[in-house]
Structures are given as C-alpha cells and as structure tokens.
Amino acid sequence: MMRKYVENIVRFRIAVIILIAIVTILIGSRIKELKVEVDPDKNLPQSHPYVVAQNKIDKIFGGRNIVVIGVIPSEGDIFQPKILEKIMHITQKINEIPGAIKTNIFSIAAKKAKDIRGTEEGMVVRRLMESVPQTREGLDELRNKIYRNPLFINSIISKDGSAAQIIADFRFNKELKGYPDIEKRIKEIVSKEEDSSVSIHLNGPSIALSWLAAYSQKMGKLFLLAMIVIGIVLYLVFGTFQGMFLPLLTAVISVVWGLGIMGFMHVPMDPFNAATPILILAIAAGHSIQILKRYYEEYAISGDNRLAVIESTSRIGIVMITAGLIAAASFLSLLTFDTMSIRNFGIFTALGILSALIIEMTFIPALRAILRPPKNKEIKEGLIIAPINKSLDKLSHLITNGRAKAVLSIVCIIAIAVAGGGYLLNVDNSLKSNFKKSTLLIKDDNIMNSHFGGTNSLNLFVEGGKPDDMKRPDVLKSIEGLQIFLENKFSEVGKTISFVDFIKKMNQAMHNDDPAFNKVPDSQDLIAQFLFVYSMSGDPGDFDSYVDYDYKKANILTFCRTDSTAFADKIIEVVSNYVEQNFPKDIKVTPAGSLAVSDALNHVMVHGKVRNILQIIGIVFVIGSVVLGSPLGGLFIILPLIVSVIFNFGVMGYTGIALNIGTAAISAMAVGIGADYAIYYIYRLREEMGNHTDLLPAIVKTMKTSGKAINFVSISIALGYLMLPLSGFGLHIKLGTLVALAMIVSSFTAITALPALIVIFKPKFALKPIVFDMKK
C-alpha cells in the first residue's frame, strides 16, 4: 500500500507540488494576523483559591496591573520644588491615561494621599500636596505632614526622604491593549520629566510582563538564525545544496502551515508558544534528514532517481508516520491542562508536526522526483561524516564483540550518577530571575527595592460574613497584628498597608494626635463615628483600595522585595497558621496578588507537567507496543525518553536550576520529540534482519545507516535549540540548553543502550524481519 501510494505521488508529482504550493500560500496569508500577547490570565488555573481571590480583589479593589515609578533626585532629597513638580506632573498625566484606575493611583501628589491630623474640634483631613510648595516653610510643612502619617513611609516616600514613588494601576481597554502599551504610555510621560536633576525608574509586575513580551518578539530573529545553523549542519552532512535545501524547505513550509493556522484562529503568540516555530523547524528538518539519507542510500544502489524516491519513501514512510503520530499525540496530551496557553502550545505544535509529516509524504518525494539526480561525487558523504563513521564503527565493534554488557553498564552508571542531582532539585519560580542582572529592568528593581517596601505584591483578601464586619475591633486588631507580624518576621516584606492604618490614624487624630492612641479603638460605634467624621472632609474613594462599600471585605497590601514562589510558599504558610490562631473564626483570609497567583500557577503547572511527562511516556509506550506488536517493544522505545528525563532533572539539580513552569514544560517537550530515535533504530534493525541471517551483522549495518541518521537529527535539533540562549532571557537559555541536552542524551541512549539490550536479550520483536517486496 505504501509503495503504491508513493508511486502515485511520483506519477502526479507536478499536480502534488502545485496543490501544496496553493495550500501553503492560502494558509501563509493568515500569518499577518498573528500578534504577540502576554496575558497571565490565560495561564492561571481559574479554580485555584488564590486565583479566585485575585479575581474578586481585581473586581472590587483593582490591583492586577500595577506599575511603580521611582523618582530619585541627583542631589538632596525630594523636598525641592523642581522634584515635587515632576512628581505632580507624572501623577496628573497618569490620571489621564485611558484605563488608569484613578482611585488606585498613589503618590504624595495623588488625591487619595491625605494628611489626617487632630485639632481642637476633632479631626481634619486634607490633601497631602494640593500644589507644590515654593518656600522653605511650605516644604518643611509638607515634610511634617508626610512623616506624621506612617502609612506613606516606604510606600510613596523612602524612610530618609531621598526618593519618592508613584504607584499606578490599570485596566485594559481598546487603547490600552496589553503590558507593552502600559509601559509605552508611562515612558512617554516620564521621559518629559527626566533631566540631570533626577533619575526615574520603572518597575512592578506590568513592566516585567512588558519586558517578557519584548523577549517573545525576538523569536523571529532567532528562528532565522536557527534555520541558518541547521542549514550549515545539513550541508556538512550531505555535502550538497540539495541536501541542505530540501529538509529546510520541508521545515519552513511546516512552520508556515502552523503559524498560518494560528493566525486564522486568532491565537496570539505568547511566551509559551513563541518558540513553537523553532520546535517545528527542528523536528521537520530532523525527519527530512532521515528520508533524504535513505534516498541517497537507495540512489547509490540503483542509480535511478525515480526508483530511489519510491524505494526510500516506501521503506521509511511507515517509520516517519509512526514517529510523527507519536510526537503529535504527545503534544496533544497538553489539552488536559486547565490553562489556555499550554493547550494552545500543544495544539499548534502537534499541527506543525502533522504538517511536516504531510509535506514529507507528499511534496518532498514529488519535488525530489523532478529535481536532477545527484552526481556520483555528490553521493559522497559530507565533511563531518568520517569522524562519526569512525565512532559508530567502534561502538558497533564493542556491542557485537562481547562488550554489550559493558556498554550497558557504563550507560547505567552515568545515568545513576546524574540522577543523584534530582535530590537537589527545588521548586521555585521567579519571572525577574529570567532577566540578566545587567538589564535595566533588574537594575531599576534593585534600586527601588533598596528605597521602598518592594516592587512585588502579595494581597491578603479578608472576607467577613456580613456588612460592617470590617468595622469590628476584633477583626481590625487581627489585621493589625498580622501586618506587624509580617513586617517583623520577613526581611523580604518592606511594607504592609490596610484599612486599619487609617483607623489607627483617625483614633490618634481624634485624641489630639496623642501617639498613645495610634491603635484600633475598642468600640465598633466609635470606629463608625470616626469614619463619619472623616467623610466630612475626606473623599469617598480614599479607601477604595482597602475596603469595600459595605465594609464586608478588605484588602491587605503586602509589598515584597522578591517574586520568588519559594518565598511565597513560606509566607503563605505562615499567614495561614497566623490566621488560624489569631483571627475570628467567621473571618476568612485568602492570599492573592502577583506573588500568590504565580505560586498557584507554579504548583499547578509543575505538578501537571510532571504528570504530563508520565502521560507522554505512557502514550509512547502504548503506540510503540501496538506498532511493534509487543509491550516489550514499547518499553524499549521509552527507554531513551526515561534516561533523558533523568538527565534533565539531574543536571537541573546539580546546576541549581529550579523546577518551575518553564523547566517542567521543557522536560515534557523533550520527551515528546525524543521518541523518534528508538523507533527509527528498531525499524531499521528489523529491516536489516530481513537482509542478514545473523543479528550482529544487522546491528553493524543498522548503526552505519539509521545510527548515523539519528546522530544527524539530534545534532540538528540540538543546534537549532541552542540558538535560543542568544536571546539572553533565562527561560530561553534553559529551554535551549535542556532540550539540546535531552536530544543528545536520548539519541546517545538509542545507539548505545538500545542495541546492547537487543544483543543481550535478543527480544523477538526486534529480531522479527521486515521484508519489502522488491518487485518494481
């Protein structure tokens, strides 16, 4: 059936080429609709308690898309008219940005920044800085206002007055479509204020995500670089331009199909699928190497171009289909994830692989049939073949001359030694750790963390059972105790703010500013009275970031100097224990904010990805067992995958690379594309068993043919992925190096441990010959 199919492809080769060209043009025309998008919501497990709490906080209080802006004078402190005017201008201009949440803009120039002080009549609430003071007396008065309100220290002004901070929050809309738009609008504002008298620094979750989007946009250049490198490898392998051109053409058309389908379905490029084109490029080029290598073998035997195309495609076609379906099924298993980005990554990688399979089984044999056949000198192998041949010959000699057990033992010893690193593996995720220390983002982050409470947020969502629960003294004292506890317990926590800070200040003001009354009153009625007095001179929206209209829910803002999920794990556990022991039983406290949702995502994704690795191995085992007609055959196919996973986790442990969203995904990806090597080897061995009566000559021949091709494929994929670290982004560095490592390890295992096991145990599935009908 395969032979008849290939004969028809060759017979109607012109029609096939035209059809594929038309389809490619039509699908490729939709690539222009692709866009880069970074939307954390699509990654978040929406049913997780932290995410549920964050969604509630965002709806009630905002706080999802925060930007922090640091203003640091070159000389002196911020209490200079010129510096204060800059803070005022930036604050006013941010208010004008469409999507800015005005009640969440916080600076010494913001409307919500109020001076609460006591008078003989009671309490007066005035805006902190309604206009910029121009006299020394006015500047000193502003200084006094700020420092008698502890709420402002380490939040919008540094403890020593050497820096000021503006905190802004946004909602997306038609004019503010993503994080790059937020950063662009903020930069437009602050650029007009920057001069020799001041330095201005941007940070916060929104800025970090904007940088992430910028790195994702670099994938186009890295794709071209990967294509050039793979092309060079192909030329060195085959020594001809045709040998370089055909696999690259297959890969490029496959990428066009994959991206075109994404554009047609309006699926954006995001950090998870931005590297998909390079993945498809490497896999498609690798598969093409296998079929082209076989074509050169067949042409060397027959000297007939058309016959070589038919023979090579017929013989290796079923292997390619098997390997392609296994890889596609592996990535489609990602549909079990509860996050849109991961599902999209799985779908479109699988579509790219299937596209490559279709092109390799239609367009390439048709095109090969109309191209001129290679000349005798072109059949000679490329420049890197001699050393590879020599190495494979030595390996074959060892395995077939009584050293199979020694070879297997060496592989096992290496695997066990590397596996020890798995015990050192830790689970942690930090977006900012992916950026080099020399980047402006990290420099700004360090500067602002040294002056203020922290650029990362942990929100604690406090829920009562009924309205006015947030006016209860026992609830407010519990919140106050938690704030004090966190600030004293963790050096990473630089500041906490809650509704309680205002109540304490009101109590002090109503007692003639006596510091002894800077505490929560014991009477709920008294608290209600304070709020009523405040409303007479304050604005209704002053508390919108901290408590809801019914005083049923509250928000504790916790500013942290790290975005590590390991730290988030620790602080969330401590908070949970504190709440259980110190809060009223009818009050619920749930972590939220950027730290908590990152922690939730990391745990769900890491556990899901580790489970997915087992799932993919299971899929490969089942398909391999069916195709080879033996469960033992399935075990042999998954052997290189298991070894590659052991190596990845072991190397990560030894080098201090944490198990997180990215590295768990990398390991699953490597398993999905590493099954080819064992499949190609076993199929070729069975074919050679049809040509030889003894296993050992068949092993030698298989090593010289399929073994050689396996090396070429793994080198191509590894070098293609090693272009990713050139982006400088931590996730891409790990992606490139770990996938390259997995490819080398799985291919090495396939040509060492696999044949050694076959020689030692002589399994029937591997010795069952494949006999082709040679009738032309």
Side-chain angles (χ1 to χ4, degrees):
M1 288 178 63
M2 180 62 69
R3 185 180 180 85
K4 288 181 179 179
Y5 164 78
V6 178
E7 286 174 346
N8 284 324
I9 290 292
V10 172
R11 182 179 298 118
F12 300 105
R13 53 192 176 276
I14 301 298
V16 169
I17 291 171
I18 292 173
L19 178 61
I20 295 296
I22 291 172
V23 172
T24 302
I25 291 170
L26 290 175
I27 295 178
S29 66
R30 308 306 291 265
I31 293 178
K32 62 185 179 183
E33 299 176 31
L34 274 176
K35 61 178 181 177
V36 175
E37 178 184 279
V38 177
D39 185 355
D41 286 351
K42 291 185 178 180
N43 298 329
L44 297 179
Q46 294 298 320
S47 59
H48 195 284
Y50 302 168
V51 180
V52 172
Q54 178 57 44
N55 290 336
K56 289 180 180 178
I57 284 178
D58 185 51
K59 186 176 181 181
I60 300 170
F61 306 113
R64 185 184 295 272
N65 303 316
I66 289 177
V67 174
V68 290
I69 305 164
V71 179
I72 304 177
S74 302
E75 295 181 1
D77 56 26
I78 67 160
F79 297 103
Q80 308 172 50
K82 185 176 182 179
I83 303 300
L84 295 173
E85 284 171 1
K86 292 179 183 295
I87 296 170
M88 178 73 80
H89 292 160
I90 293 171
T91 304
Q92 291 172 343
K93 290 298 180 181
I94 289 175
N95 262 293
E96 297 171 8
I97 296 177
I101 304 176
K102 293 179 171 50
T103 55
N104 284 6
I105 297 172
F106 195 30
S107 77
I108 58 176
K111 290 183 178 180
K112 68 182 289 184
K114 299 291 173 56
D115 172 36
I116 303 172
R117 63 185 181 88
T119 64
E120 293 180 0
E121 291 78 20
M123 176 171 57
V124 174
V125 181
R126 293 285 185 267
R127 187 171 167 182
L128 199 60
M129 189 175 74
E130 204 151 0
S131 61
V132 176
Q134 300 296 322
T135 65
R136 174 48 55 190
E137 292 77 13
L139 293 170
D140 289 341
E141 182 184 355
L142 175 62
R143 187 194 302 268
N144 291 333
K145 286 181 183 178
I146 291 174
Y147 282 102
R148 68 174 171 237
N149 288 276
L151 172 70
F152 304 135
I153 310 305
N154 273 355
S155 59
I156 57 175
I157 187 171
S158 62
K159 190 176 293 185
D160 59 1
S162 64
Q165 184 170 250
I166 302 159
I167 302 172
D169 188 16
F170 301 89
R171 296 191 193 278
F172 293 130
N173 53 40
K174 291 182 179 180
E175 296 183 57
L176 211 64
K177 297 179 180 180
Y179 296 104
D181 291 337
I182 292 177
E183 184 180 23
K184 180 183 177 183
R185 297 297 291 266
I186 295 292
K187 280 186 172 180
E188 288 173 352
I189 292 171
V190 302
S191 63
K192 296 176 181 177
E193 305 299 331
E194 285 184 297
D195 54 34
S196 59
S197 68
V198 70
S199 62
I200 300 179
H201 310 272
L202 305 184
N203 215 271
S206 293
I207 302 300
L209 289 169
S210 178
W211 276 68
L212 178 58
Y215 275 100
S216 298
Q217 290 175 331
K218 291 183 177 181
M219 285 299 104
K221 294 179 181 178
L222 294 177
F223 173 80
L224 292 175
L225 188 57
M227 190 165 68
I228 291 170
V229 170
I230 291 174
I232 293 171
V233 173
L234 291 170
Y235 186 77
L236 294 175
V237 167
F238 293 108
T240 68
F241 284 105
Q242 281 193 19
M244 177 181 69
F245 172 72
L246 289 177
L248 280 181
L249 183 61
T250 303
V252 170
I253 295 175
S254 304
V255 171
V256 168
W257 283 25
L259 294 181
I261 294 171
M262 288 181 68
F264 174 74
M265 298 182 68
H266 302 291
V267 175
M269 298 292 289
D270 61 37
F272 279 102
N273 60 35
T276 301
I278 295 179
L279 175 61
I280 297 171
L281 174 76
I283 294 174
H287 284 188
S288 294
I289 288 173
Q290 290 278 4
I291 194 168
L292 191 58
K293 182 73 177 63
R294 190 57 182 265
Y295 165 80
Y296 274 93
E297 285 183 42
E298 297 298 333
Y299 186 78
I301 295 170
S302 67
D304 185 313
N305 182 56
R306 177 178 173 277
L307 184 59
V309 171
I310 294 172
E311 285 299 318
S312 60
T313 310
S314 300
R315 289 171 181 266
I316 204 171
I318 186 65
V319 191
M320 294 182 63
I321 291 171
T322 302
L325 291 178
I326 285 177
S330 299
F331 283 101
L332 284 175
S333 69
L334 297 177
L335 288 172
T336 59
F337 277 80
D338 190 31
T339 53
M340 183 64 71
S341 291
I342 296 299
R343 292 203 298 267
N344 287 340
F345 171 72
I347 290 171
F348 290 106
T349 302
L351 285 174
I353 292 170
L354 293 175
S355 298
L357 186 59
I358 292 170
I359 293 160
E360 288 158 358
M361 296 300 295
T362 56
F363 181 75
I364 293 305
L367 182 61
R368 177 68 268 180
I370 66 170
L371 292 174
R372 70 165 179 82
K375 297 176 182 178
N376 289 335
K377 64 178 183 178
E378 292 179 334
I379 300 176
K380 294 179 181 179
E381 295 169 320
L383 300 176
I384 65 172
I385 302 304
I388 291 178
N389 276 347
K390 191 174 181 180
S391 299
L392 292 176
D393 286 342
K394 287 183 178 180
L395 184 58
S396 298
H397 179 75
L398 286 172
I399 292 173
T400 58
N401 285 275
R403 300 295 181 87
K405 290 182 180 179
V407 170
L408 185 61
S409 298
I410 291 171
V411 173
C412 290
I413 290 170
I414 295 172
I416 292 170
V418 175
Y423 291 100
L424 304 174
L425 198 60
N426 67 302
V427 178
D428 191 15
N429 191 52
S430 165
L431 173 59
K432 291 178 182 177
S433 69
N434 284 301
F435 300 97
K436 290 182 178 180
K437 293 180 179 179
S438 59
T439 60
L440 182 61
L441 176 73
I442 301 304
K443 288 181 178 179
D444 283 348
D445 189 58
N446 291 334
I447 290 170
M448 296 183 71
N449 280 326
S450 69
H451 282 89
F452 302 103
T455 58
N456 310 285
S457 62
L458 174 70
N459 296 67
L460 299 173
F461 185 47
V462 186
E463 294 178 274
K466 57 186 183 299
D468 289 339
D469 269 350
M470 295 305 120
K471 296 179 182 177
R472 286 166 43 189
D474 61 332
V475 174
L476 297 183
K477 288 179 180 180
S478 297
I479 293 174
E480 178 191 26
L482 178 56
Q483 288 183 253
I484 295 171
F485 176 74
L486 289 177
E487 290 183 5
N488 292 332
K489 174 76 174 178
F490 298 102
S491 60
E492 298 92 339
V493 174
K495 183 70 176 180
T496 63
I497 303 176
S498 78
F499 173 60
V500 174
D501 295 307
F502 294 91
I503 295 298
K504 289 164 63 179
K505 187 60 182 174
M506 292 179 204
N507 190 29
Q508 180 179 342
M510 293 296 287
H511 289 85
N512 202 27
D513 277 333
D514 184 350
F517 288 90
N518 186 29
K519 61 182 181 179
V520 176
D522 294 324
S523 165
Q524 183 169 337
D525 290 338
L526 193 58
I527 291 170
Q529 291 177 27
F530 290 168
L531 290 170
F532 174 74
V533 175
Y534 183 97
S535 67
M536 296 175 67
S537 52
D539 294 326
D542 288 349
F543 307 138
D544 283 358
S545 300
Y546 314 105
V547 68
D548 69 345
Y549 180 78
D550 293 327
Y551 292 90
K552 184 179 179 181
K553 301 177 179 69
N555 181 24
I556 305 173
L557 278 68
T558 306
F559 295 95
C560 305
R561 298 188 175 101
T562 176
D563 67 342
S564 162
T565 57
F567 167 71
D569 271 341
K570 184 166 58 175
I571 190 173
I572 287 171
E573 182 182 2
V574 168
V575 166
S576 177
N577 292 335
Y578 186 94
V579 169
E580 186 176 351
Q581 296 173 17
N582 297 281
F583 270 66
K585 299 305 178 185
D586 61 333
I587 301 299
K588 180 182 177 183
V589 180
T590 310
S594 61
L595 265 177
V597 296
S598 294
D599 188 49
L601 177 61
N602 196 54
H603 280 279
V604 170
M605 288 292 293
V606 167
H607 296 154
K609 277 294 184 183
V610 172
R611 186 173 63 248
N612 183 235
I613 291 171
L614 300 176
Q615 187 178 16
I616 292 173
I617 290 175
I619 290 171
V620 174
F621 169 74
V622 170
I623 297 177
S625 299
V626 171
V627 171
L628 294 176
S630 167
L632 186 58
L635 287 175
F636 272 56
I637 287 177
I638 65 173
L639 174 64
L641 307 184
I642 294 172
V643 175
S644 69
V645 170
I646 289 172
F647 262 76
N648 259 20
F649 285 162
V651 169
M652 285 165 56
Y654 282 129
T655 58
I657 298 174
L659 183 63
N660 55 37
I661 300 167
T663 52
I666 291 164
S667 299
M669 185 190 309
V671 171
I673 61 180
D676 295 7
Y677 307 125
I679 294 171
Y680 280 117
Y681 190 93
I682 292 172
Y683 262 94
R684 187 57 186 258
L685 176 62
R686 290 178 59 178
E687 184 181 339
E688 292 303 328
M689 287 300 294
N691 301 326
H692 300 83
T693 57
D694 187 33
L695 171 62
L696 300 185
I699 289 283
V700 172
K701 181 65 174 178
T702 302
M703 194 70 77
K704 287 183 176 181
T705 54
S706 184
K708 192 185 301 180
I710 286 169
N711 273 324
F712 300 157
V713 172
S714 65
I715 290 171
S716 296
I717 294 178
L719 288 177
Y721 262 89
L722 284 175
M723 297 304 102
L724 286 176
L726 297 179
S727 76
F729 185 56
L731 177 61
H732 297 155
I733 293 171
K734 295 166 192 170
L735 176 61
T737 53
L738 291 177
V739 170
L741 173 67
M743 292 303 97
I744 298 301
V745 170
S746 54
S747 64
F748 176 78
T749 307
I751 62 174
T752 54
L754 199 61
L757 283 169
I758 291 171
V759 168
I760 294 168
F761 296 104
K762 297 180 176 57
K764 291 181 180 180
F765 77 87
L767 305 183
K768 183 179 179 181
I770 298 174
V771 180
F772 289 95
D773 183 3
M774 300 301 291
K775 188 167 59 177
K776 308 299 185 283

